[in-house]
Amino acid sequence: MIDGIRGLNLLRNVKAAALAAVLLGGTAPTIIPMVAYAQGSSVIREIRVDGNNRIEAATVNAYLSVKEGDPYDPQRINESLKSLFSTGLFADVAIGFEQGVLKVNVVENPIINRIAFEGNSRLKDDALGAELQLRPRVVYTRTKVQADVQRILDLYRRSGRFAATVEPKVIQLEQNRVDLVFEIDEGEATGVRKINFVGNKAFDDGELSEVVRTTESAWWKILTADDNYDPDRVTFDRELLRRFYLSAGYADFQVLSSVAELTPDRSDFFITYTVSEGQRYRFGDINVVSQIDKIDPATLMPLIEIEKGDWYNADLVDDAIDALTTSIGDQGYAFIDIRPNVERDRETGVINITFTIAEGPKVYVERIDVVGNVRTLDEVVRREFRLVEGDAFSSSKLKRSRQRVENLNFFKTVDVKTLPGSAPDQTVLEVDVEEKSTGEFSIGAGYGTDDGAFGQAGIRERNLLGKGQDLRLGFTIGSSSQQIDLSFTEPYFLDRDVSAGFDLYRREEDNQDESSYDEKQTGIGLRSGFRYSEALSQSVRYGFEVNEYSDIDDDASRLLREEDPEFSESTIGQTLTYDQRDSTISPKEGYFMQLSNDFAGLGGSETYLRTRVNGGYYYPLDREKEWVLSTKGSTGYIFGIGDDTRISQRFFTGGSNLRGFESAGVGPRDIETTDAVGGKFFYTGTVQMDFPLGLPSEFALTGRVFSDFGSSEGVDGARPGEIHDEGSLRASVGIGVGWESPFGPIGVDLSQAILKEDYDKEEVFRLNFGTRF
C-alpha cells in the first residue's frame, strides 16, 4: 500500500517536470522511474550521469538537489529536473532510480558553429547580427532562437516592413554543432495609405499633414522613407503637433491618441490622430522679476520680443528665456535659474507671464571626459570647448561647445552629458562621440553657365592622423578650365587657436569668349586665420604666382596685345570677417560684413593694391524661416602703383554676380573687338526673396524672385574713343528655382535686363548644378 502511494506521488512529479520543461522551451523530459523499495534501496548510494560529452558530470551533479547518501525524495528529484532544464544546456533530461542508483541521462543542446542570414538586402548582416542574443560558440536553444526571430521582425518593422517574415533553419554538424540560418523574406515596405485627423477645427487636415513628419505614400516619394510606417516617427509626430499648436496660441492642446491600423493585406497603414485643440490665447502682461539684487529687470525687458495682445507662442517664451540667460551670463552670473510663471485666464483668453530670475546652485566644471573616440585625439574635441576644468558651469557655453564639436564634421553623433562630480558643487562633462569616416574619394560632374561642363576628382582626409588636420588633392577638367591643387590646413597651429595652411595649384583658363586669350597660372599660397570672438575673425595670406597669356587672337584688344604675356605676382593680403548668420551654407537670418585687401609688390613684376568689401543681411518673414528676404552687396577697387593694372587683375561683372548679363557682360569693353577688358572699380547688389513653392517638403524645392544691379568702370592705358567705359547703372529682375537634390544643389534662373547699355552682353537663362558620386 505504501509503495503504491509512493508510486502515485512520483508519477505526479513526473508530469509536473514534463510540463515545466515544455514551458521553458525544451522538449518534454523522458523520466523513467525505476523503483525497488522492497529491497530497502530508498537511499541514493550512487549518482550516475550518462549522455554528457561536453559538460562534466560534476557540473550536472552541481545542479542536482540530492547527493549520494541522501534518501530518495521525489520532490527533490522534481527540483533537480527543473534546475537542469533552467540551465539551457540540455535538450532532454531523464532521471531514474533503481536499487540505490540515481541515473541521470542527458541530451546536450548543440553549440552554434555559425549564424548566417539569407534573403536580406535592406538590412545588412552587421545590423541584424547586432540585435541577436545568440552568437557563435554559444549553446543553442529554441527559446533563444524564437526570441531572436522576434527581434529581427521588430527591426524590420522599425524600418517600415511589417510584411517581413523570418524562418530559422538548423543545419546539423558533427560533434554536436549546428549552423543557424535565418531565412528572411523582407516583403514590401509598409506604406501609409491615409493620415486622418479627428477633433481639429482651427487647421484642416492638409495643414496638419504638413506639420507631421510621416507622409502618405505616393509614387514620386522614392527618395524618402517618410511614407513608410514607423511607430517611432508617429510618436515624434505627436510632439510636432504639440509644438505647432503651442506656437499658434493653443496652450491647452493635447494629442488624445494616435492609432495605426494595418490593412488586411499588411501592405499599408491608416493613421488617425485624435486631438483636443482647446481655446486660443493671447499674450497678456509680461513682467520680469529678479531675486538677484544687482540685476535690474527694467534693463532686461527689451530683450523679450513678446508683444501684449499677440497670439500666444511657446517658441517666443523659449526665445525669451534664452535671451535672458545669455544676457545675464554675459554679466558674469553663470548660476541663474529663469522660470516662466504662466497665469492662464480662460474667461478672457489671456496668458500673463512673469519671468522669475533666481540664483541657481553654484556648480563648477571638475573634469571633461571624452569617450567613444577611437582615431580622433581627445585634444581635438577639448579645444572646441568654451569651458575648461575649473570654470563656472554655463549652459549657453556648453551649448556652443557642442555645436563647435558637431561643426568639425568628424562624428556621426555628439552627446554631452553633465554627471555628478566628487562634490555637490562639481560636475563632470562627458562628451560621448561616435566617429564617422573622414576620408573621401570624390568624383564629380556638373554644368555651369560660366564654366560649361566640368568633371572633378579628389582625395581628401579631413581628420589626418586623428589630429583634425585637413589634406586635399583635387583635379578639375572642364570645357573652359583645368586645375590641379594640393592644400593642407592645421586648425590649431602650435597648439593655439590659429589655423595655418598652404596651397599649391596649377590652373589653365579659356577666356576666349570674354577677352580673346587663354591664361596659365602656377602658384603657391600660405595662409593663417584666427578669431577675435565667435563672430569676428581674420585671415592673412601670402601668395606667389607665375602667369602666362597664350593664344592671343590677332584681332584681340590692343590693351591685351601690348601687355607682357609673362609676369609674376607676389601678394600679401588679409580678410576681416564679422559673421552673425545662422548658417554659412544656407543662411536664413543674420548678417555678415567682410573686408579684404591684397598688396602685390614684395617681389614679382607687378605692384598694385586691391580692396574688396562684401556684406549681406537676411531677414525671415515668418517663424518657420520659409520666407526669407535678403540683401547682398559687393564693391571693389584696384589701382596700380607705378604701373598700369592688367586685364587679369581687374574686376569683371556679370553672370553669377549680376544675373541678366553674361559673365563679364558688363563693364569696360573694347569698341572695335568687343573684348571685355575689366574695370578698376565695380559694385553689385541683390535684393532677393526666397519662398516655398507649396509642394511637399520632400521635393526640397524653393522659389525666388530677385533684382540685381551693379556696374564697373575704369581702365588703365586706354585711348580716347577706344573703350566703352560709361560706368552707368545696370539692373535686372528675375525669378528662379532651387532644388536640394540628392545629386547636389541645382539652380535655374530666368532674368531680364531692364537697365543696360547697347554694348552689354545679356543672358536670360542661367543653370548651375553639380554632383558627387
Side-chain angles (χ1 to χ4, degrees), residues 15 24 37 64 177 208 211 215 234 236 243 263 424 444 468 495 499 520 591 610-611 621 653 697:
K15 293 180 178 179
L24 288 171
Y37 297 105
L64 298 177
R177 295 176 301 125
L208 296 183
V211 174
T215 63
V234 171
F236 180 60
R243 294 178 186 176
T263 57
D495 293 327
S499 65
K520 299 178 181 178
Y591 63 94
R610 180 169 51 206
T611 299
L621 299 180
T653 308
S697 58

Side-chain angles (χ1 to χ4, degrees), residues 115 117 127-135 148-149 151-152 182:
I115 297 177
F117 303 94
L128 295 172
E131 291 290 316
L132 301 185
Q133 273 187 326
L134 292 172
R135 294 284 188 273
D148 282 345
V149 167
R151 286 185 176 88
I152 295 174
F182 292 96

Side-chain angles (χ1 to χ4, degrees), residues 519-537:
E519 184 178 11
K520 299 178 181 178
Q521 302 169 324
T522 305
I524 181 174
L526 303 175
R527 48 189 162 75
S528 179
F530 48 92
R531 287 188 175 274
Y532 298 105
S533 66
E534 291 294 333
L536 184 62
S537 62

Side-chain angles (χ1 to χ4, degrees), residues 99-112:
Q99 295 182 352
V101 178
L102 186 70
K103 297 181 179 180
V104 182
N105 295 312
V106 297
V107 178
E108 296 176 345
N109 273 325
I111 294 294
I112 296 175

Side-chain angles (χ1 to χ4, degrees), residues 47-197:
I47 298 177
R48 187 180 303 162
V49 179
D50 295 324
N52 58 311
N53 296 314
R54 205 175 54 251
I55 302 169
E56 297 290 339
T59 302
V60 176
N61 289 332
Y63 289 102
L64 298 177
S65 299
V66 294
K67 305 296 180 185
E68 292 180 356
D70 291 348
Y72 182 87
D73 184 350
Q75 181 65 34
R76 295 172 68 184
I77 297 299
N78 184 37
E79 293 174 358
S80 299
L81 274 171
K82 294 178 180 179
S83 178
L84 288 171
F85 267 97
S86 66
T87 64
L89 298 174
F90 308 105
D92 196 9
V93 179
I95 298 179
F97 183 64
E98 183 177 6
Q99 295 182 352
V101 178
L102 186 70
K103 297 181 179 180
V104 182
N105 295 312
V106 297
V107 178
E108 296 176 345
N109 273 325
I111 294 294
I112 296 175
N113 177 62
R114 183 174 65 94
I115 297 177
F117 303 94
E118 293 182 358
N120 57 307
S121 59
R122 295 291 178 178
L123 297 179
K124 301 302 181 184
D125 289 1
D126 291 344
L128 295 172
E131 291 290 316
L132 301 185
Q133 273 187 326
L134 292 172
R135 294 284 188 273
R137 296 182 297 277
V138 171
V139 176
Y140 168 91
T141 68
R142 282 181 290 177
T143 302
K144 290 182 179 180
V145 170
Q146 293 304 318
D148 282 345
V149 167
Q150 188 59 47
R151 286 185 176 88
I152 295 174
L153 290 174
D154 290 343
L155 196 63
Y156 273 100
R157 288 170 181 171
R158 289 200 297 270
S159 64
R161 293 181 177 270
F162 279 75
T165 60
V166 180
E167 184 176 355
K169 295 293 182 67
V170 177
I171 302 173
Q172 297 287 343
L173 302 175
E174 58 185 10
Q175 297 178 351
N176 200 24
R177 295 176 301 125
V178 296
D179 284 344
L180 177 60
V181 180
F182 292 96
E183 294 184 353
I184 300 172
D185 181 1
E186 295 182 324
E188 296 295 327
T190 310
V192 178
R193 186 173 299 179
K194 184 68 175 176
I195 299 177
N196 300 306
F197 298 90

Side-chain angles (χ1 to χ4, degrees), residues 392-433:
F393 177 81
S394 170
S395 58
S396 60
K397 288 184 178 180
L398 184 64
K399 181 179 179 182
R400 176 58 182 163
S401 299
R402 175 178 177 175
Q403 184 63 49
R404 287 173 61 92
V405 175
E406 290 177 343
N407 289 345
L408 291 174
N409 200 25
F410 298 163
F411 309 107
K412 290 181 181 179
T413 59
V414 178
D415 185 19
V416 182
K417 303 174 183 176
T418 55
L419 305 177
S422 59
D425 63 344
Q426 301 288 322
T427 186
V428 175
L429 302 181
E430 182 180 275
V431 189
D432 190 355
V433 298

